[in-house]
């Protein structure tokens, strides 16, 4: 999919509109539209990669060719962070809402339970994974767990993990290996995955398992979830430091465009 000077492409989001921020794609769609799109896609014949993109992921698309290729090749790129909405606004474009990874995963699990679509959970530490599975079954009665695998496997074991996923034939594959490892994992193995929707969900299994907490709702609404996670985990400082850099780059591009 190629960019154009208007910053808009025909893409898989709302009415096919996909904007570009510094050349990187983000689909214009609400949470409800994202869920509806995913529910249609898991009936398809091909793997369907969903990236819930925050500014750290988009920034890595500027620095890392593989990330740029996977973002451009993903069937859906949602605006995970408030920073992405702000970047779009600076760009002079608008996105309707955040489509945060955890919320998206939970709504997809609810739909999967209602529509009898089997789900595979890949990622997190073994104990966390088991707790997350138990909680998911509790929250979504009828949820079909096609299979699961913890996230601490080596590159040489990746082939057998893919084989296991193929054998279990899930319709929804939640991959919680942390960004950008999970995005790269899906991208590298997409050709061998069964037809399913594969979503990178970051630390969502830890939240589902009750091991970590999301930011209070007021912080989420104020676009400060990144600050909450930084305060709880100061080692994220380096990751978070790219946010102002990315925003300044978008501002610079906008000003240059105006001149
Ligand atoms: N993880 C994993 N395998 C790894 C590294 C991380 O399964 O080799 C898991 C980790 O246990 C956690 C998740 O990936 O459940 C990463 O959570 P984090 O909050 O760091 O992800 P983010 O949302 O920031 O990408």
């Amino acid at each position: 999919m190629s960019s154009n000077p208007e910053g808009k492409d025909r893409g898989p989001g709302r009415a096919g509109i996909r904007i570009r921020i510094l050349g990187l794609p983000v689909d214009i769609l609400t949470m409800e539209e994202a869920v509806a799109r995913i529910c249609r896609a898991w009936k398809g014949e091909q793997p369907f990669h969903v990236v819930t993109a925050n500014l750290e992921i988009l920034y890595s698309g500027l620095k890392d060719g593989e990330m740029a290729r996977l973002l451009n090749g993903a069937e859906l790129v949602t605006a995970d962070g408030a920073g992405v909405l702000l970047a779009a606004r600076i760009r002079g474009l608008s996105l309707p809402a955040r489509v945060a990874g955890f919320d998206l995963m939970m709504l997809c699990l609810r739909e999967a339970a209602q529509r009898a679509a089997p789900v595979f959970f890949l990622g997190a530490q073994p104990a966390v994974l088991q707790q997350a599975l138990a909680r998911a079954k509790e929250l979504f009665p009828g949820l079909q767990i096609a299979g699961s695998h913890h996230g601490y496997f080596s590159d040489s074991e990746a082939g057998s993990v893919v084989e296991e996923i193929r054998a279990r034939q899930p319709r929804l594959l939640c991959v919680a290996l942390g960004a950008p490892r999970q995005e790269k994992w899906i991208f590298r193995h997409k050709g061998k995955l069964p037809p399913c929707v594969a979503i990178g969900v970051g630390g969502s299994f830890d939240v589902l398992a009750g091991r970590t907490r999301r930011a209070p709702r007021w912080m989420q609404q104020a676009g400060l979830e990144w600050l909450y996670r930084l305060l709880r985990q100061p080692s994220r400082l380096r990751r978070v430091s790219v946010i102002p850099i990315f925003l300044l780059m978008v501002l610079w591009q906008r000003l240059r465009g105006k001149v």
Side-chain angles (χ1 to χ4, degrees), residues 54 56-57 122-125 128 150-153 176-183 201-206 212 229 233 236 239:
N54 55 23
E56 294 151 53
I57 291 184
L122 173 63
Q125 288 164 5
V128 174
H150 65 78
Y152 291 83
F153 54 89
L177 302 175
R181 186 178 169 213
Q182 61 204 12
E183 281 72 30
V201 296
S204 295
F205 292 176
D206 299 74
T212 57
R229 297 186 77 183
Q233 215 184 327
R236 299 179 77 92
R239 286 178 63 168

Tab-separated table of all heavy atoms in Angstrom, residues 54 56-57 122-125 128 150-153 176-183 201-206 212 229 233 236 239, ligand 1:
chain	number	residue	atom	x	y	z
A	54	ASN	N	1.268	2.321	19.252
A	54	ASN	CA	1.494	3.552	20.007
A	54	ASN	C	2.657	4.285	19.336
A	54	ASN	O	3.196	3.810	18.323
A	54	ASN	CB	1.762	3.254	21.489
A	54	ASN	CG	2.913	2.274	21.654
A	54	ASN	OD1	3.769	2.146	20.769
A	54	ASN	ND2	2.948	1.571	22.767
A	56	GLU	N	5.668	4.629	20.255
A	56	GLU	CA	6.943	3.885	20.284
A	56	GLU	C	7.020	2.944	19.078
A	56	GLU	O	8.068	2.813	18.444
A	56	GLU	CB	7.054	3.063	21.567
A	56	GLU	CG	7.150	3.908	22.829
A	56	GLU	CD	6.563	3.183	24.040
A	56	GLU	OE1	6.966	2.041	24.313
A	56	GLU	OE2	5.694	3.777	24.700
A	57	ILE	N	5.895	2.315	18.786
A	57	ILE	CA	5.874	1.403	17.633
A	57	ILE	C	6.035	2.189	16.334
A	57	ILE	O	6.811	1.803	15.449
A	57	ILE	CB	4.568	0.566	17.627
A	57	ILE	CG1	4.602	-0.421	18.804
A	57	ILE	CG2	4.384	-0.168	16.304
A	57	ILE	CD1	3.433	-1.381	18.871
A	122	LEU	N	-0.761	-16.825	23.234
A	122	LEU	CA	0.687	-17.031	23.158
A	122	LEU	C	1.391	-15.898	23.897
A	122	LEU	O	1.217	-14.727	23.534
A	122	LEU	CB	1.141	-17.047	21.685
A	122	LEU	CG	2.646	-17.089	21.447
A	122	LEU	CD1	3.254	-18.376	21.991
A	122	LEU	CD2	2.967	-16.960	19.958
A	123	GLY	N	2.176	-16.249	24.931
A	123	GLY	CA	2.989	-15.225	25.570
A	123	GLY	C	2.871	-15.217	27.079
A	123	GLY	O	2.085	-15.965	27.668
A	124	ALA	N	3.691	-14.401	27.688
A	124	ALA	CA	3.778	-14.191	29.142
A	124	ALA	C	4.462	-15.372	29.841
A	124	ALA	O	4.724	-16.410	29.232
A	124	ALA	CB	2.409	-13.904	29.759
A	125	GLN	N	4.700	-15.195	31.126
A	125	GLN	CA	5.309	-16.277	31.903
A	125	GLN	C	4.265	-17.373	32.123
A	125	GLN	O	3.068	-17.065	32.202
A	125	GLN	CB	5.792	-15.734	33.243
A	125	GLN	CG	7.021	-14.857	33.084
A	125	GLN	CD	7.304	-14.007	34.293
A	125	GLN	OE1	6.623	-14.134	35.310
A	125	GLN	NE2	8.269	-13.140	34.175
A	128	VAL	N	1.581	-16.731	34.746
A	128	VAL	CA	0.715	-15.595	34.358
A	128	VAL	C	-0.266	-16.051	33.287
A	128	VAL	O	-1.462	-15.750	33.339
A	128	VAL	CB	1.587	-14.418	33.823
A	128	VAL	CG1	0.713	-13.299	33.277
A	128	VAL	CG2	2.512	-13.899	34.916
A	150	HIS	N	3.436	-20.396	26.646
A	150	HIS	CA	4.076	-19.246	27.301
A	150	HIS	C	5.020	-18.530	26.311
A	150	HIS	O	5.272	-19.038	25.208
A	150	HIS	CB	4.834	-19.702	28.552
A	150	HIS	CG	5.983	-20.606	28.241
A	150	HIS	ND1	7.180	-20.131	27.768
A	150	HIS	CD2	6.100	-21.957	28.278
A	150	HIS	CE1	7.992	-21.140	27.556
A	150	HIS	NE2	7.354	-22.267	27.854
A	151	GLY	N	5.513	-17.373	26.710
A	151	GLY	CA	6.278	-16.552	25.771
A	151	GLY	C	7.784	-16.650	25.918
A	151	GLY	O	8.509	-15.857	25.313
A	152	TYR	N	8.257	-17.611	26.708
A	152	TYR	CA	9.703	-17.683	26.931
A	152	TYR	C	10.298	-18.896	26.201
A	152	TYR	O	10.734	-19.860	26.802
A	152	TYR	CB	10.012	-17.660	28.433
A	152	TYR	CG	9.671	-16.273	28.972
A	152	TYR	CD1	8.359	-15.952	29.327
A	152	TYR	CD2	10.625	-15.264	29.021
A	152	TYR	CE1	8.025	-14.672	29.743
A	152	TYR	CE2	10.290	-13.980	29.435
A	152	TYR	CZ	8.991	-13.694	29.793
A	152	TYR	OH	8.661	-12.415	30.182
A	153	PHE	N	10.241	-18.792	24.873
A	153	PHE	CA	10.810	-19.846	24.035
A	153	PHE	C	11.902	-19.219	23.165
A	153	PHE	O	11.893	-18.017	22.889
A	153	PHE	CB	9.726	-20.518	23.176
A	153	PHE	CG	8.915	-19.543	22.353
A	153	PHE	CD1	9.324	-19.167	21.082
A	153	PHE	CD2	7.749	-18.984	22.860
A	153	PHE	CE1	8.590	-18.262	20.329
A	153	PHE	CE2	7.008	-18.067	22.114
A	153	PHE	CZ	7.432	-17.713	20.844
A	176	ALA	N	1.286	-12.089	23.234
A	176	ALA	CA	1.731	-11.186	24.307
A	176	ALA	C	3.216	-11.411	24.585
A	176	ALA	O	3.588	-12.013	25.586
A	176	ALA	CB	0.894	-11.431	25.564
A	177	LEU	N	4.053	-10.936	23.667
A	177	LEU	CA	5.505	-11.082	23.840
A	177	LEU	C	6.162	-9.736	24.093
A	177	LEU	O	7.385	-9.645	24.147
A	177	LEU	CB	6.127	-11.715	22.582
A	177	LEU	CG	5.602	-13.093	22.157
A	177	LEU	CD1	6.219	-13.524	20.835
A	177	LEU	CD2	5.887	-14.129	23.235
A	178	GLY	N	5.364	-8.672	24.210
A	178	GLY	CA	5.892	-7.319	24.338
A	178	GLY	C	6.223	-6.765	22.959
A	178	GLY	O	6.529	-7.520	22.024
A	179	ALA	N	6.110	-5.435	22.833
A	179	ALA	CA	6.414	-4.784	21.557
A	179	ALA	C	7.909	-4.431	21.523
A	179	ALA	O	8.477	-4.084	22.554
A	179	ALA	CB	5.575	-3.516	21.420
A	180	PRO	N	8.594	-4.528	20.399
A	180	PRO	CA	8.073	-4.933	19.081
A	180	PRO	C	8.265	-6.414	18.785
A	180	PRO	O	8.032	-6.837	17.675
A	180	PRO	CB	8.930	-4.099	18.135
A	180	PRO	CG	10.283	-4.066	18.798
A	180	PRO	CD	10.003	-4.052	20.290
A	181	ARG	N	8.670	-7.206	19.803
A	181	ARG	CA	8.946	-8.621	19.524
A	181	ARG	C	7.708	-9.331	18.976
A	181	ARG	O	7.793	-10.113	18.025
A	181	ARG	CB	9.439	-9.320	20.803
A	181	ARG	CG	9.867	-10.737	20.515
A	181	ARG	CD	10.403	-11.486	21.717
A	181	ARG	NE	10.514	-12.899	21.355
A	181	ARG	CZ	10.337	-13.909	22.188
A	181	ARG	NH1	10.065	-13.670	23.448
A	181	ARG	NH2	10.443	-15.139	21.781
A	182	GLN	N	6.549	-9.042	19.585
A	182	GLN	CA	5.339	-9.747	19.155
A	182	GLN	C	4.959	-9.386	17.714
A	182	GLN	O	4.534	-10.251	16.939
A	182	GLN	CB	4.181	-9.436	20.111
A	182	GLN	CG	3.830	-7.961	20.146
A	182	GLN	CD	3.139	-7.494	21.416
A	182	GLN	OE1	3.090	-8.193	22.407
A	182	GLN	NE2	2.596	-6.297	21.372
A	183	GLU	N	5.130	-8.099	17.357
A	183	GLU	CA	4.793	-7.684	15.985
A	183	GLU	C	5.726	-8.385	14.988
A	183	GLU	O	5.293	-8.880	13.950
A	183	GLU	CB	4.923	-6.161	15.830
A	183	GLU	CG	3.748	-5.358	16.387
A	183	GLU	CD	3.697	-5.337	17.913
A	183	GLU	OE1	4.773	-5.412	18.552
A	183	GLU	OE2	2.580	-5.260	18.475
A	201	VAL	N	-0.640	-8.082	21.831
A	201	VAL	CA	-1.391	-7.480	22.942
A	201	VAL	C	-0.506	-7.049	24.115
A	201	VAL	O	-1.019	-6.707	25.185
A	201	VAL	CB	-2.538	-8.407	23.431
A	201	VAL	CG1	-3.577	-8.603	22.329
A	201	VAL	CG2	-2.004	-9.753	23.915
A	202	GLY	N	0.819	-7.059	23.923
A	202	GLY	CA	1.735	-6.526	24.943
A	202	GLY	C	1.564	-7.169	26.304
A	202	GLY	O	1.545	-8.389	26.437
A	203	GLY	N	1.403	-6.326	27.327
A	203	GLY	CA	1.303	-6.829	28.699
A	203	GLY	C	-0.128	-7.182	29.100
A	203	GLY	O	-0.419	-7.294	30.302
A	204	SER	N	-1.010	-7.407	28.123
A	204	SER	CA	-2.435	-7.614	28.450
A	204	SER	C	-2.708	-8.867	29.277
A	204	SER	O	-3.646	-8.892	30.080
A	204	SER	CB	-3.274	-7.685	27.168
A	204	SER	OG	-3.233	-6.457	26.510
A	205	PHE	N	-1.900	-9.935	29.095
A	205	PHE	CA	-2.144	-11.151	29.893
A	205	PHE	C	-1.840	-10.857	31.366
A	205	PHE	O	-2.494	-11.392	32.253
A	205	PHE	CB	-1.284	-12.324	29.418
A	205	PHE	CG	-1.625	-12.863	28.043
A	205	PHE	CD1	-0.866	-13.876	27.480
A	205	PHE	CD2	-2.693	-12.359	27.311
A	205	PHE	CE1	-1.168	-14.382	26.215
A	205	PHE	CE2	-3.002	-12.850	26.039
A	205	PHE	CZ	-2.224	-13.866	25.497
A	206	ASP	N	-0.831	-10.009	31.608
A	206	ASP	CA	-0.489	-9.661	33.002
A	206	ASP	C	-1.651	-8.907	33.649
A	206	ASP	O	-1.958	-9.110	34.827
A	206	ASP	CB	0.786	-8.805	33.034
A	206	ASP	CG	1.977	-9.541	32.463
A	206	ASP	OD1	2.037	-9.703	31.230
A	206	ASP	OD2	2.826	-9.987	33.240
A	212	THR	N	-0.698	-7.028	36.956
A	212	THR	CA	-0.446	-5.590	36.863
A	212	THR	C	-1.785	-4.892	36.661
A	212	THR	O	-2.760	-5.516	36.266
A	212	THR	CB	0.487	-5.214	35.678
A	212	THR	OG1	-0.095	-5.702	34.477
A	212	THR	CG2	1.880	-5.774	35.840
A	229	ARG	N	2.399	4.092	33.485
A	229	ARG	CA	3.264	2.918	33.288
A	229	ARG	C	4.724	3.276	33.555
A	229	ARG	O	5.480	2.480	34.095
A	229	ARG	CB	3.101	2.366	31.863
A	229	ARG	CG	1.685	1.865	31.620
A	229	ARG	CD	1.538	1.187	30.288
A	229	ARG	NE	2.090	-0.163	30.313
A	229	ARG	CZ	2.140	-0.964	29.253
A	229	ARG	NH1	1.683	-0.556	28.099
A	229	ARG	NH2	2.637	-2.170	29.356
A	233	GLN	N	7.096	1.675	36.356
A	233	GLN	CA	8.215	0.920	35.779
A	233	GLN	C	9.195	1.923	35.162
A	233	GLN	O	9.196	2.126	33.946
A	233	GLN	CB	7.643	0.003	34.689
A	233	GLN	CG	8.326	-1.326	34.549
A	233	GLN	CD	7.727	-2.094	33.364
A	233	GLN	OE1	6.541	-1.988	33.063
A	233	GLN	NE2	8.558	-2.850	32.685
A	236	ARG	N	11.098	2.049	31.756
A	236	ARG	CA	10.494	2.343	30.450
A	236	ARG	C	10.899	3.712	29.911
A	236	ARG	O	10.494	4.095	28.816
A	236	ARG	CB	8.963	2.299	30.555
A	236	ARG	CG	8.406	0.967	30.961
A	236	ARG	CD	6.887	1.016	31.057
A	236	ARG	NE	6.265	0.974	29.748
A	236	ARG	CZ	5.884	-0.145	29.142
A	236	ARG	NH1	6.044	-1.291	29.740
A	236	ARG	NH2	5.331	-0.113	27.959
A	239	ARG	N	12.177	3.964	26.389
A	239	ARG	CA	11.121	3.719	25.402
A	239	ARG	C	10.246	4.954	25.227
A	239	ARG	O	9.921	5.357	24.117
A	239	ARG	CB	10.238	2.548	25.862
A	239	ARG	CG	10.886	1.204	25.726
A	239	ARG	CD	9.987	0.100	26.245
A	239	ARG	NE	8.746	-0.029	25.487
A	239	ARG	CZ	7.907	-1.055	25.603
A	239	ARG	NH1	8.174	-2.025	26.445
A	239	ARG	NH2	6.806	-1.106	24.890
B	1	LIG	N1	7.183	-11.527	27.376
B	1	LIG	C1	7.248	-12.807	26.867
B	1	LIG	N2	8.415	-13.239	26.345
B	1	LIG	C2	9.526	-12.464	26.303
B	1	LIG	C3	9.463	-11.152	26.814
B	1	LIG	C4	8.258	-10.707	27.345
B	1	LIG	O1	6.257	-13.526	26.862
B	1	LIG	O2	10.561	-12.933	25.815
B	1	LIG	C5	5.921	-11.074	27.949
B	1	LIG	C6	6.033	-10.570	29.374
B	1	LIG	O3	6.012	-11.665	30.268
B	1	LIG	C7	4.799	-9.692	29.452
B	1	LIG	C8	4.698	-9.123	28.035
B	1	LIG	O4	5.482	-9.982	27.214
B	1	LIG	O5	3.666	-10.490	29.703
B	1	LIG	C9	5.302	-7.726	27.894
B	1	LIG	O6	4.645	-6.835	28.687
B	1	LIG	P1	4.973	-5.264	28.527
B	1	LIG	O7	4.050	-4.562	29.451
B	1	LIG	O8	6.437	-5.013	28.661
B	1	LIG	O9	4.583	-5.051	26.999
B	1	LIG	P2	4.261	-3.740	26.200
B	1	LIG	O10	2.772	-3.592	26.288
B	1	LIG	O11	4.985	-2.609	26.854
B	1	LIG	O12	4.738	-4.061	24.839
